[in-house]
Amino acid sequence: MPLKNYGVLACRIAARRREGAPDDTPHYQLHLTDNDGTHYRGAINVLSQQAPSELLFLADEDFRHPVTGNLPEAGSGWTELPPGPGGPSLDFIRGNLFAPEDMRPLPPDVPGQDNDLSDRLDHYVVRATTDPTVAVYVFGERWGPERNKNDKVFDFAPGNGVHDVHMNQGSVGQFSSSNGVWQDGGLLMHFPSESRWVGIFLAFQSQAWHTDEKTGHRIETAEPRPVERNASVRIMAALVNPTGPAPERETITLLNASPTPVNLEGWMLADAEDHMLALPAAAVAAGRTVTVSGGNGFELGNRGGAITLLDPAGLKVHGVSYTEEQAQREGWTVSF
């Protein structure tokens, strides 16, 4: 079953603590506070109990995605989130937050500088700890408050915090019970002085990147971690906000990057709300593009959105996202 208490903590970072060997399950621990003075601990996994042990890591230092426009007020504390599209909930696969192949495995904590997962987290966390204007959002599962029990790491009372700050689908064995869709963990930071967001994402190498739409369990017949940049057909551009009054004629342009024709019969496009658009049953020649019009419920919203390309088996082939800022340029085509 999915996580019981999924949500996001809008907070600031007060302190950090690195854990490494000889701990069996080391974490990168964060002491977090909200505007009301409530204390939390953010427990971030840095080592997997399932082989391969090194976690996959990605830090997008200029994260631009419509999810940042749906977040609760900075410092407002814990907000429980219903899993589903169109809101602030995270889904590494369906939300098109990043390309899976951009993640890299990192050891938890080894000698040297800037060469392990804890070092990479330090790079952003130390900055956020010393700058009170930085807004931090921690996605995961809530625990506590634990009455009459102090936090075991930072000793505040009552014990209280967020864990599962990583991908929460496509797992196997004992961890498959936590699988679900639109409930992935992550860490978002807003640096207002630079008008910039940083997105930090973690996943286990044992997790799969094609998962069931209802359960979040892995689809056994699909490759574990696809390389989207090698997809034969890709989303190249979209006219999100056409000139003129509604209803507007939105369009999506696809490219066949392969050396052979591809028949699009059975292929689909999905919008940010998972509305589907069937593609024309026609072959696209090698190196050629095809432009299709939206409609029949498929819509590209002007407040930001996502577009996902699915093959006839219903597996994700490629995905993109665009922000509200990009969508406001009437008549301009957004390129990806």
Side-chain angles (χ1 to χ4, degrees):
M1 61 183 297
L3 301 181
K4 295 180 180 179
N5 300 300
Y6 176 72
V8 60
L9 176 63
C11 58
R12 291 177 177 83
I13 301 176
R16 79 193 194 286
R17 181 174 298 178
R18 297 167 59 141
E19 297 176 345
D23 295 303
D24 292 331
T25 57
H27 288 73
Y28 186 96
Q29 306 283 7
L30 297 176
H31 183 182
L32 309 166
T33 60
D34 64 18
N35 290 342
D36 293 331
T38 304
H39 294 258
Y40 309 80
R41 175 163 54 89
I44 301 176
N45 292 76
V46 293
L47 186 70
S48 174
Q49 296 182 47
Q50 290 183 328
S53 61
E54 295 180 352
L55 265 70
L56 296 169
F57 170 82
L58 171 66
D60 185 341
E61 296 194 345
D62 190 17
F63 181 66
R64 303 187 185 195
H65 191 279
V67 70
T68 59
N70 296 325
L71 295 173
E73 182 181 353
S76 57
W78 176 256
T79 299
E80 187 172 348
L81 299 177
S89 298
L90 301 185
D91 191 303
F92 288 8
I93 300 170
R94 295 158 187 84
N96 300 337
L97 300 169
F98 55 87
E101 64 267 27
D102 289 340
M103 302 193 90
R104 295 289 181 269
L106 285 175
D109 195 359
V110 297
Q113 295 184 351
D114 204 25
N115 60 354
D116 58 47
L117 182 50
S118 296
D119 287 343
R120 296 298 293 152
L121 290 170
D122 268 352
H123 180 77
Y124 306 99
V125 169
V126 170
R127 165 85 183 275
T129 304
T130 58
D131 185 348
T133 68
V134 178
V136 178
Y137 295 86
V138 184
F139 292 79
E141 184 174 42
R142 171 83 177 271
W143 84 79
E146 301 171 316
R147 300 302 177 189
N148 302 316
K149 185 177 180 180
N150 285 24
D151 181 75
K152 67 179 184 179
V153 176
F154 297 107
D155 201 39
F156 59 78
N160 189 27
V162 186
H163 62 162
D164 290 333
V165 188
H166 49 66
M167 186 175 178
N168 290 305
Q169 57 184 308
S171 297
V172 295
Q174 62 177 318
F175 301 106
S176 62
S177 60
S178 297
N179 286 340
V181 298
W182 293 103
Q183 57 157 37
D184 286 330
L187 190 63
L188 300 182
M189 299 183 183
H190 184 223
F191 295 85
S193 63
E194 303 172 20
S195 299
R196 178 169 66 99
W197 286 85
V198 170
I200 298 174
F201 308 103
L202 296 161
F204 299 107
Q205 294 189 64
S206 57
Q207 292 175 309
W209 290 74
H210 285 302
T211 62
D212 184 86
E213 290 294 320
K214 293 183 178 180
T215 66
H217 294 322
R218 66 171 55 207
I219 297 175
E220 298 292 346
T221 56
E223 56 185 316
R225 188 159 66 113
V227 180
E228 292 186 14
R229 65 170 61 94
N230 291 342
S232 58
V233 182
R234 308 170 197 175
I235 304 166
M236 296 300 295
L239 180 55
V240 175
N241 187 5
T243 303
E248 304 159 311
R249 188 176 179 273
E250 302 163 347
T251 62
I252 304 94
T253 300
L254 308 173
L255 167 69
N256 175 11
S258 77
T260 58
V262 175
N263 194 320
L264 297 181
E265 182 176 5
W267 291 60
M268 306 281 287
L269 286 172
D271 64 16
E273 299 287 345
D274 283 343
H275 301 133
M276 299 294 177
L277 177 69
L279 297 183
V284 182
R288 296 299 183 90
T289 62
V290 60
T291 299
V292 297
S293 298
N296 296 323
F298 180 94
E299 183 178 358
L300 304 180
N302 291 348
R303 296 188 61 185
I307 312 170
T308 303
L309 178 64
L310 307 173
D311 69 12
L315 300 179
K316 179 180 175 180
V317 174
H318 189 226
V320 297
S321 64
Y322 61 91
T323 65
E324 181 176 9
E325 181 181 8
Q326 290 174 302
Q328 294 307 305
R329 303 182 70 194
E330 187 176 40
W332 284 77
T333 295
V334 179
S335 60
F336 305 108

